[in-house]
Amino acid sequence: MGLVPATGRKNRVRQTSCKQCGICCTKGGAALHGEDLFLLREGLIPRQDLITIRKGEFAHNPRTDRVQPTKVEIVKLRGTGTEWTCCYYDPLTRGCSIYEKRPLACKTLKCWDPEESLALVETDLLSRLDILEEDEPLQELVRAHNSTCSLPDFVSLSRALEEDTEQTVADLEASVNTDLSFRNKAVEDSEVVLREELFLLGRPLFQLLQPFGLHVFQEGNCLRLQWKRNT
Ligand code: SF4
Ligand code: SF4
């Protein structure tokens, strides 16, 4: 439900209702909006089934149909394993296992008539701090991670790697290891963080760097990076 499928765009004239093909559910779980807050607060969708795309990460923007840096934080339903297919999608039945309590973006999507769902993109999105209760100590964890482990400027990263490879890789290595240490400590200290890491802290920085040609390997207790120019 993260994408408006290309097939849907092409079939817009002929199609008038959902064929229940499930393609939209294999393109990424739905982003959550203000109207979905009760699903989380009432435990109908557990936080361990969420993933956070932090502001500035590259993600597919359905409005432009391009991969672009996000202007705001996005919390969405996580994928299955390493795939983006929504964790609530059942491939056997090609159905949704939480159909009655699916988020707004899923209820709104008509791939053959995408205007309504495109209007939702980056609008009234829920952030981690919206979802966590105001008095929850995990609010502080999220804030501390944001300030200790800020993301690099992904827009200028490729150019920086070209222009000053050694220094840029060294800076990124330091950031990757700071992020990893923060996570390890947080996970050791709390079983909740262990379960909800992808929601609370988003994806580890080293994973976000791989599309830029940065390969990661372990040396002792540290992660090292090696850059291979994308061709
Ligand atoms: S909205 Fe219905 S027809 Fe369109 S991609 Fe999703 S499941 Fe298939
Ligand atoms: S919640 Fe259901 S309808 Fe929405 S993307 Fe996941 S499987 Fe599809």
Side-chain angles (χ1 to χ4, degrees):
M1 199 62 64
L3 296 178
V4 178
T7 50
R9 289 170 192 267
K10 283 176 194 151
N11 291 338
R12 203 183 296 181
V13 176
R14 280 176 284 131
Q15 191 173 342
T16 56
S17 62
C18 178
K19 311 282 188 211
Q20 299 185 326
C21 66
I23 289 175
C24 51
C25 306
T26 65
K27 302 288 183 183
L32 300 177
H33 296 77
E35 207 174 289
D36 300 317
L37 187 57
F38 81 98
L39 294 170
L40 304 158
R41 289 284 168 82
E42 293 180 12
L44 298 170
I45 293 180
R47 296 192 317 218
Q48 67 201 44
D49 288 343
L50 306 179
I51 183 168
T52 296
I53 309 291
R54 294 170 70 193
K55 181 180 170 186
E57 282 185 37
F58 271 67
H60 177 264
N61 182 329
R63 208 176 264 163
T64 58
D65 202 17
R66 292 175 57 196
V67 175
Q68 293 176 310
T70 53
K71 294 190 191 122
V72 288
E73 177 171 306
I74 301 171
V75 178
K76 56 193 298 183
L77 302 179
R78 68 170 173 79
T80 313
T82 56
E83 303 286 325
W84 279 109
T85 298
C86 175
C87 63
Y88 293 119
Y89 178 65
D90 180 348
L92 291 178
T93 61
R94 291 194 295 189
C96 172
S97 61
I98 58 161
Y99 188 78
E100 296 303 327
K101 52 186 181 183
R102 68 200 190 286
L104 174 68
C106 309
K107 290 185 203 155
T108 306
L109 183 68
K110 299 184 188 87
C111 66
W112 63 96
D113 184 11
E115 302 314 320
E116 198 182 343
S117 45
L118 290 179
L120 282 181
V121 175
E122 294 193 341
T123 304
D124 190 27
L125 288 171
L126 286 176
S127 69
R128 290 169 289 180
L129 297 182
D130 294 328
I131 292 169
L132 292 164
E133 302 277 359
E134 265 176 41
D135 56 354
E136 234 178 305
L138 291 171
Q139 290 242 2
E140 191 42 47
L141 180 86
V142 170
R143 287 199 180 90
H145 183 245
N146 275 346
S147 62
T148 311
C149 308
S150 58
L151 293 173
D153 178 356
F154 289 113
V155 175
S156 60
L157 188 56
S158 295
R159 195 177 64 239
L161 283 164
E162 293 276 357
E163 289 175 0
D164 190 351
T165 307
E166 202 174 322
Q167 186 61 51
T168 306
V169 169
D171 291 346
L172 290 172
E173 265 183 8
S175 300
V176 158
N177 284 294
T178 302
D179 178 57
L180 197 65
S181 302
F182 188 102
R183 284 166 191 275
N184 287 343
K185 171 87 173 60
V187 162
E188 271 170 32
D189 288 351
S190 162
E191 283 188 15
V192 177
V193 182
L194 179 62
R195 280 197 308 272
E196 300 179 3
E197 180 185 344
L198 287 175
F199 161 64
L200 292 166
L201 307 178
R203 286 178 293 167
L205 178 57
F206 75 83
Q207 284 184 9
L208 304 178
L209 294 175
Q210 286 169 1
F212 293 87
L214 284 148
H215 298 267
V216 64
F217 61 99
Q218 189 156 8
E219 196 172 84
N221 290 329
C222 287
L223 293 183
R224 301 292 310 276
L225 296 174
Q226 192 174 41
W227 183 58
K228 286 192 187 142
R229 195 173 267 107
N230 281 327
T231 52

